[in-house]
Amino acid sequence: MKLENFKNYQNIHIWTGILSGLLLFICFATSAFTMFEGPLNTWALHSKNTMPAIAESQYDDLIQQVLTVHPEAGKEMTVYLPAAMTEHAPVQWVVRDEDTHDAVYWHASLDENGQLISQQAFLSDIGDFLDHLHRTAGIPGGEDHDAVGIWIMGIVCVLYFVAIVSGLVIFLPTWAKDLFALRKAKKAKRFWVDFHNILGISALPFHIIIAVTTVVFAYHDILYGSMQSLVYKDTPMFNRPAAIEVDRNNENLLSIETLRQKITETEPDFNMAELRFSGLGTPRSRLIIGGELEGEIIRGPYYAFWVTDPYTASAGYTAMLPSVSGIAGKIVNSFFTLHFGGFGGSTIHWIYFALGLSGSLLFLTGNIIWIEGRRKRSTANAPATQKRSVRILSRLTVGVCTGTLIGIGLSLLAAKLASATQSNIQFYQHLGYYGGFLAAIAYSFWVPPLKAAIHSLYALTFIAISLIVATCIYWNASVSSTINIAFIGVAISLIALFILIAKRLAAKRTLVPQDGVWQ
């Protein structure tokens, strides 16, 4: 490759990486935890917010009793069968304020005599909150698909894909000697370049998948709109089944067993887990059934889905089911399953967890390489004066990266502590994340970046210890102990990692130039 072309690709890789790196760090760090969104929601539960489990044969009776006593539940109600991951109650519904959009959660079960017991539920939905941070990088504004952060991250992921391609181009000429090389004896920048290359090359397919699928997710409305106007024109792109004339009284809802028989006619191996009812009693009644379908390309991280009419079990929108999705449906499903890691069970979720954390390190090392490459060296006559851009990015790198982890830790702690008595748990989760995130950035500008990094790592250690203590104090015996044990195991591993890194940084402080950006 000509030297001029090499430098052009190098500049493209550097600047696309710098412009997108910190936002991608936030998304990848939070994505690691969203791989266990359901278990995290369960982990945050307290015993007082857990309802008795019931036999599957009792579900039809429970649903009818809920709709009789709480008719508002028909607007938005979820039924968790014994196979479901969520363990707090068999039935949950949401009451939303039309003016403020505030949501109040309720859940219900049956007592020993088969009578309805219901109460307001203090649910944190911490997994959903972390997923929102993952999709938006924590950028406020807008809701759901119209969130400002999603639109921005779509642009960022275009830059991310360009950085991947340009990085691969500049790596290929020397791949034979640089592949998995980690040269510690060389100067600091060489070590970080080698580490950056190892992280990028070892997970290259994963990064390509994430970049492409994120762009599709961010702009799917635009893509569908373009296809409608250019290809389908006056023909509807998606045909919603016409409402069937039927008595939509709640007594006419199909039984759980009937629904199971209907769906297994299409997908014999489908194991029903969740039923999400909406609009009951109206012509727009809908039921989304989620279930396990091992070894298939599915729509979600845990479940495949079937959309139907809860009164008729008509075919509905079946493109989400692998056996009837067709080529177009399989392509769409593949975007979801590759992004969510929904194709290999818990093993793939743990692999994606590790890839999410390694992806965060990829963007961190990219920033360090840029900073080290532009750090001016001292001369015999005078110390060096570092550029303002280098000083600012070094502080932002430390502040954003440690702040993201501190924010995640504090939001988890808020979810665990507040979900015992507080109805507005989401407020405390937001306060924990954004408070910790902004405080870490402010601290990195107040003290030297290296000092801020060491102190932040010890702060993270303290937060992780607090999470273990909170888990033990509020141990919920009514949910699977595997979730609590796994949480504690991950927390202990992170504590060891934080302490190790903090001690290594402290030991090397004397080797770092005093007039450099880090000191």
Side-chain angles (χ1 to χ4, degrees):
M1 183 188 297
K2 292 182 179 180
L3 181 61
E4 182 180 357
N5 291 337
F6 179 85
K7 288 185 175 180
N8 287 336
Y9 279 110
Q10 191 175 51
N11 286 331
I12 291 172
H13 181 72
I14 288 171
W15 288 108
T16 51
I18 290 297
L19 292 172
S20 62
L22 291 179
L23 289 175
L24 287 170
F25 180 95
I26 298 171
C27 291
F28 270 74
T30 50
S31 75
F33 294 92
T34 58
M35 293 313 304
F36 302 100
E37 182 177 337
L40 281 175
N41 287 336
T42 301
W43 164 82
L45 289 171
H46 285 252
S47 299
K48 64 177 65 177
N49 288 322
T50 305
M51 305 291 279
I54 60 174
E56 189 164 319
S57 59
Q58 296 178 285
Y59 272 83
D60 293 321
D61 182 33
L62 172 60
I63 292 170
Q64 291 299 326
Q65 289 196 48
V66 167
L67 293 174
T68 300
V69 179
H70 301 277
E72 70 278 5
K75 292 183 178 179
E76 193 175 348
M77 180 177 70
T78 303
V79 175
Y80 300 105
L81 298 177
M85 186 173 301
T86 302
E87 301 181 30
H88 66 89
V91 171
Q92 172 193 312
W93 65 95
V94 184
V95 179
R96 300 187 186 276
D97 189 303
E98 295 181 358
D99 297 324
T100 64
H101 301 289
D102 290 339
V104 177
Y105 293 92
W106 285 75
H107 58 188
S109 184
L110 299 176
D111 63 16
E112 296 177 353
N113 300 317
Q115 299 300 309
L116 178 69
I117 49 175
S118 60
Q119 65 183 28
Q120 184 178 345
F122 300 120
L123 304 177
S124 72
D125 284 343
I126 181 63
D128 304 83
F129 173 62
L130 293 178
D131 181 60
H132 176 75
L133 295 175
H134 161 62
R135 292 183 292 112
T136 64
I139 299 170
E143 295 181 358
D144 297 330
H145 294 298
D146 295 325
V148 174
I150 291 178
W151 288 83
I152 292 175
M153 288 314 301
I155 297 172
V156 166
C157 281
V158 172
L159 297 176
Y160 172 31
F161 183 76
V162 174
I164 292 172
V165 174
S166 56
L168 187 60
V169 170
I170 62 178
F171 176 77
L172 286 177
T174 58
W175 74 270
K177 67 183 182 70
D178 289 345
L179 186 64
F180 302 127
L182 192 60
R183 287 158 282 202
K184 297 181 181 180
K186 302 288 184 181
K187 58 184 181 180
K189 183 185 174 184
R190 181 71 260 175
F191 168 80
W192 290 113
V193 169
D194 287 342
F195 190 30
H196 184 76
N197 288 341
I198 290 173
L199 291 171
I201 292 298
S202 62
L204 181 62
F206 173 76
H207 287 287
I208 293 174
I209 288 168
I210 298 302
V212 173
T213 54
T214 301
V215 173
V216 173
F217 292 158
Y219 302 123
H220 70 277
D221 287 340
I222 295 176
L223 293 172
Y224 286 152
S226 300
M227 291 173 65
Q228 181 69 64
S229 59
L230 297 176
V231 180
Y232 292 89
K233 297 182 179 179
D234 296 332
T235 304
M237 186 174 175
F238 300 108
N239 291 316
R240 183 183 178 90
I244 299 175
E245 291 297 329
V246 64
D247 183 0
R248 295 184 178 275
N249 209 310
N250 290 330
E251 287 82 1
N252 295 325
L253 284 171
L254 295 179
S255 68
I256 301 293
E257 185 56 35
T258 300
L259 291 169
R260 177 178 283 107
Q261 291 174 3
K262 287 287 185 181
I263 199 168
T264 52
E265 290 174 4
T266 304
E267 289 287 358
D269 297 327
F270 192 94
N271 183 22
M272 286 172 50
E274 292 183 3
L275 291 83
R276 305 175 190 174
F277 295 91
S278 61
L280 292 182
T282 71
R284 299 183 67 83
S285 303
R286 187 174 73 165
L287 170 60
I288 301 177
I289 301 176
E292 297 173 346
L293 201 55
E294 293 186 6
E296 296 286 352
I297 297 175
I298 58 177
R299 182 63 66 98
Y302 304 105
Y303 301 139
F305 295 102
W306 183 43
V307 183
T308 188
D309 186 321
Y311 298 93
T312 65
S314 58
Y317 178 54
T318 58
M320 294 184 183
L321 294 177
S323 63
V324 292
S325 58
I327 295 176
K330 283 182 170 59
I331 291 173
V332 173
N333 287 350
S334 67
F335 280 107
F336 283 89
T337 196
L338 288 172
H339 190 93
F340 296 146
F343 54 88
S346 60
T347 301
I348 296 299
H349 291 158
W350 281 109
I351 292 174
Y352 267 50
F353 175 83
L355 289 172
L357 294 181
S358 73
S360 300
L361 289 176
L362 177 69
F363 308 119
L364 171 61
T365 55
N367 277 23
I368 293 174
I369 292 167
W370 188 89
I371 293 166
E372 286 296 315
R374 281 152 185 77
R375 178 170 59 84
K376 294 182 179 180
R377 269 64 177 176
S378 303
T379 63
N381 300 322
T385 301
Q386 306 299 333
K387 288 184 178 180
R388 179 183 295 178
S389 59
V390 180
R391 286 187 281 116
I392 290 176
L393 186 62
S394 66
R395 293 174 184 273
L396 274 177
T397 298
V398 171
V400 170
C401 295
T402 60
T404 299
L405 298 178
I406 288 173
I408 291 172
L410 290 177
S411 65
L412 287 168
L413 193 59
K416 189 64 175 177
L417 297 179
S419 59
T421 57
Q422 300 293 333
S423 59
N424 193 13
I425 306 170
Q426 285 71 22
F427 167 77
Y428 295 99
Q429 289 174 174
H430 280 76
L431 182 63
Y433 177 79
Y434 289 104
F437 180 76
L438 295 175
I441 294 176
Y443 191 65
S444 70
F445 277 86
W446 185 35
V447 302
L450 185 57
K451 186 176 181 180
I454 295 171
H455 290 176
S456 294
L457 286 166
Y458 283 125
L460 281 166
T461 301
F462 176 77
I463 292 170
I465 293 173
S466 300
L467 285 168
I468 293 174
V469 172
T471 301
C472 294
I473 292 175
Y474 295 105
W475 191 281
N476 190 348
S478 60
V479 302
S480 173
S481 59
T482 303
I483 293 175
N484 288 328
I485 293 171
F487 185 91
I488 292 174
V490 171
I492 292 174
S493 300
L494 291 176
I495 288 171
L497 182 63
F498 295 148
I499 292 175
L500 175 63
I501 297 173
K503 287 188 173 181
R504 288 184 67 85
L505 289 178
K508 291 182 178 295
R509 284 185 66 176
T510 56
L511 303 178
V512 178
Q514 294 300 310
D515 59 352
V517 293
W518 305 113
Q519 293 279 33

